[in-house]
Structure formats: C-alpha cells, structure tokens
Amino acid sequence: MDEVGSVAGDIVGMNLVTHQTGPEGKKVRKVLVEQGLNIAKELYLSIIPDRETAKVVVMASEAGGMDIEAVAATTPEKIIKVYIDPLVGIQPYHCRQAAFGLKLPPTAMKPFVSMLGNLYRLFIDYDCSLVEINPLVITAEETVIALDAKVDFDDNALYRHKDILDYRDIHEEDPLEVEASKFNLNYIKLDGNVGNMVNGAGLAMATMDIIKLAGAEPANFLDVGGGASAEMVENGFRIMLSDKNVKGILINIFGGILRCDVLAEGVVRAAEKTGIDVPVVVRMEGTNVEEGRKILADSGLSLITATDMKDAAEKVAQFVADK
C-alpha cells in the first residue's frame, strides 16, 4: 500500500506542477486519480425522455466509448431502446431486455439490473433530462463499472433540488455565462463575431440562422425574455460588449410583453454607461415601436435601423466584414 500511495502522490504532484493551466489558460483546481481497470468490453447506457411517445427511454449499445450520434449514423442496429411508461415505472423485464440486448455475461446480469434500476430512480427523483454512462465497462473479472458519466438536470426543477446547486463549479463555466445567470438572462457564448439580443428563443435561433446565411457568425445566443425590464436589457447589452470577439451587434425585437420603448430605454442606458465602439443594427416591430424608435433617434447614439430581419442581418454582416 505504501508503494501505491507513493506512486499516486507522484502522479498528483506531477499534475499540479506541470499542468497548472489548461485550455484557454484556465487553472487546474482539482486532480482526479482513478483506479486502473482490466477492461474486457465497453458499453453505452443512458436514460432520456422521449417527447414523441411521452415515455422514458433506456438507450444501450455495445458500442461504448463512442459518440452515440456517430453510432446511430453508422450502425443504428447496435442501439437498443427500451420504452418505459413513467406512470408505471421501471420493471424487472425492462432491465432484462436491456441486459440481453447488450449480451452481458451471466455474472454481470444481476449487478447491471440493480444499476439500471438505481439510475432510473435517480432520473425520476431528480428531474433529470439525461443520465448517461459512457463507457459502462465489463472487466475481465466480469464486474460492471461506470467508468464515465454525465447527468443533466432540468433547470426549471432546480427549486426542488437545492442540494444539487452545491455541486456547481463556476470555474468550469464561461465567465460571461456566469455573469448573465446573475440577471436571469438566457445567454450562451459562441465563437462568432456578431452579438445578438433577441426576445424569444425561437426568434433567437432564427436570428442566428439568418446571420450565418448573410455570411457572418453569431457570437452568442441571448434571449432577454418576453418580460424583460430595461435593467435586464442593459445588463445583456453590457455582457455582449464585454466579449472581445464581438465586432457588431444585432438587436432583433418583436414587441409584445417586452415593449419596444422599454427595450430602447435599456439600450440607451447601457450605451451611456459602457460606451459603444462597435456598430449596432436595430430591428424592432410590435408594441410601442414608434416610441422605441423615437427614443433611439433622440439618444444621439450612432445606431443603424433595419426594415426586416434579412436587411438587419445583411447590414451587420457587412459591418463586421469591414472590421
């Protein structure tokens, strides 16, 4: 045991000394040392909701250790699907169906069935949208071990599971996304150069698509929501401007619950506080649109108006291309 402990200590020390920074200069804050295994077979196992059937689906495959999308595209026959009625719950025959489909050795059957039952209870009890083990390994000793796993929780249900929030590690998240979460903004950082501010997830997706169609690349997904205040708009604008990759901004708002004049007030306030050094294209339609346009026009800001989405995307794409 002393020799093993010494080796483990050397490994930890080596990682801390020689790998203090990771991708994008991030510091390594934790080191994980795992037991070596004599792997005989790698499997895939996951549990997800299926909206089409309104059931929970256990997906399993003998092609573990691979991207399941790649398996589905090249060898779909290797994917086993077991559908479970959530009102009935998982039954022993569901587990056996998955186990037989994976061609498990007899000694691995019982521990696999127990594991799958526990995973299903985790999925239901914690309002998960995904529980995935990849790979699930069968060792040469015919034991079943989850070698790597991923769990996604439904954000809308986190109020029921405050203990999960204790596991959050903001050091593993993008700083701009962390900042946006403080103001209840739906923000995802991307690799492009056009910042987007949109109200409504569907409109945001369409806006990103039309930006790409115009020849530019979106720098973020930002849905300020239907009931956003001027303060939320201001914070969203500030976060976009703090992204050094953003060379232009497209504001695409359909005024409904979020009125156009409220949006305009937020944009003006943000611009006055942060200073705008990139072109901003604004397309607004809907409730109080004329009031919103007047607020922007009277602000003295150098803003570019657009008549429709196509016009807005083409204008911002041209501006960033000239940068």
Side-chain angles (χ1 to χ4, degrees):
M1 288 296 293
D2 291 340
E3 182 178 353
V4 173
S6 176
V7 172
D10 289 342
I11 292 173
V12 171
M14 179 185 68
N15 277 278
L16 289 175
V17 172
T18 64
H19 295 85
Q20 290 184 350
T21 58
E24 300 180 359
K26 292 181 179 179
K27 291 184 178 179
V28 175
R29 300 176 184 275
K30 297 179 182 178
V31 176
L32 174 64
V33 179
E34 295 186 348
Q35 172 192 1
L37 296 173
N38 189 8
I39 299 172
K41 191 175 184 180
E42 293 188 356
L43 307 171
Y44 174 90
L45 179 66
S46 69
I47 304 176
I48 59 173
D50 182 68
R51 296 187 180 187
E52 185 175 347
T53 61
K55 292 184 178 181
V56 176
V57 183
V58 173
M59 286 207 309
S61 175
E62 292 184 83
M66 293 178 58
D67 187 341
I68 195 63
E69 286 81 8
V71 177
T74 57
T75 53
E77 70 279 0
K78 290 186 178 180
I79 298 179
I80 304 150
K81 294 183 180 181
V82 179
Y83 293 86
I84 302 171
D85 185 336
L87 297 178
V88 177
I90 194 167
Q91 302 297 316
Y93 72 87
H94 291 129
C95 300
R96 289 194 296 270
Q97 183 180 344
F100 289 135
L102 290 173
K103 302 174 184 175
L104 297 180
T107 53
M109 286 283 187
K110 187 173 181 179
F112 174 82
V113 168
S114 176
M115 175 184 286
L116 183 53
N118 290 336
L119 285 175
Y120 183 85
R121 283 187 286 277
L122 168 68
F123 182 86
I124 297 298
D125 292 348
Y126 279 86
D127 297 294
C128 298
S129 55
L130 169 71
V131 173
E132 178 183 81
I133 300 177
N134 187 26
L136 173 68
V137 301
I138 307 298
T139 67
E141 298 77 26
E142 296 189 344
T143 56
V144 181
I145 297 178
L147 199 59
D148 197 5
K150 177 180 179 181
V151 180
D152 286 347
F153 301 98
D154 185 346
D155 292 350
N156 295 315
L158 283 178
Y159 71 94
R160 290 201 291 253
H161 311 289
K162 298 192 187 315
D163 54 319
I164 294 176
L165 296 175
D166 294 335
Y167 292 100
R168 185 183 183 188
D169 185 356
I170 61 172
H171 298 108
E172 295 298 315
E173 301 179 35
D174 186 280
L176 293 180
E177 294 181 7
V178 174
E179 181 68 12
S181 68
K182 297 176 182 178
F183 306 103
N184 295 318
L185 293 169
N186 298 311
Y187 177 92
I188 300 172
K189 189 179 184 309
L190 302 174
D191 297 328
N193 53 9
V194 177
N196 305 279
M197 178 182 289
V198 189
N199 64 326
L203 185 59
M205 296 297 289
T207 302
M208 291 193 295
D209 285 345
I210 202 166
I211 286 172
K212 292 178 71 70
L213 190 63
E217 292 291 331
N220 65 269
F221 171 99
L222 173 56
D223 171 18
V224 295
S229 63
E231 182 181 6
M232 289 178 68
V233 172
E234 176 189 342
N235 287 318
F237 206 83
R238 176 177 54 80
I239 290 168
M240 280 194 299
L241 287 173
S242 64
D243 183 350
K244 65 181 187 304
N245 294 325
V246 170
K247 307 302 180 187
I249 291 177
L250 171 57
I251 300 175
N252 186 17
I253 298 293
F254 183 80
I257 300 175
L258 172 57
R259 305 192 319 263
C260 293
D261 57 328
V262 172
L263 167 80
E265 289 172 1
V267 171
V268 171
R269 187 186 305 173
E272 291 173 344
K273 289 185 178 180
T274 60
I276 299 177
D277 57 358
V278 297
V280 178
V281 178
V282 182
R283 179 260 181 179
M284 290 191 303
E285 290 294 344
T287 306
N288 290 0
V289 65
E290 294 304 326
E291 290 89 335
R293 288 173 179 165
K294 186 175 187 305
I295 291 171
L296 295 178
D298 294 344
S299 68
L301 299 173
S302 183
L303 303 173
I304 301 98
T305 58
T307 56
D308 54 36
M309 286 179 60
K310 182 175 183 291
D311 180 43
E314 289 175 348
K315 283 181 176 177
V316 77
Q318 182 61 51
F319 284 123
V320 299
D322 294 338
K323 284 282 186 176

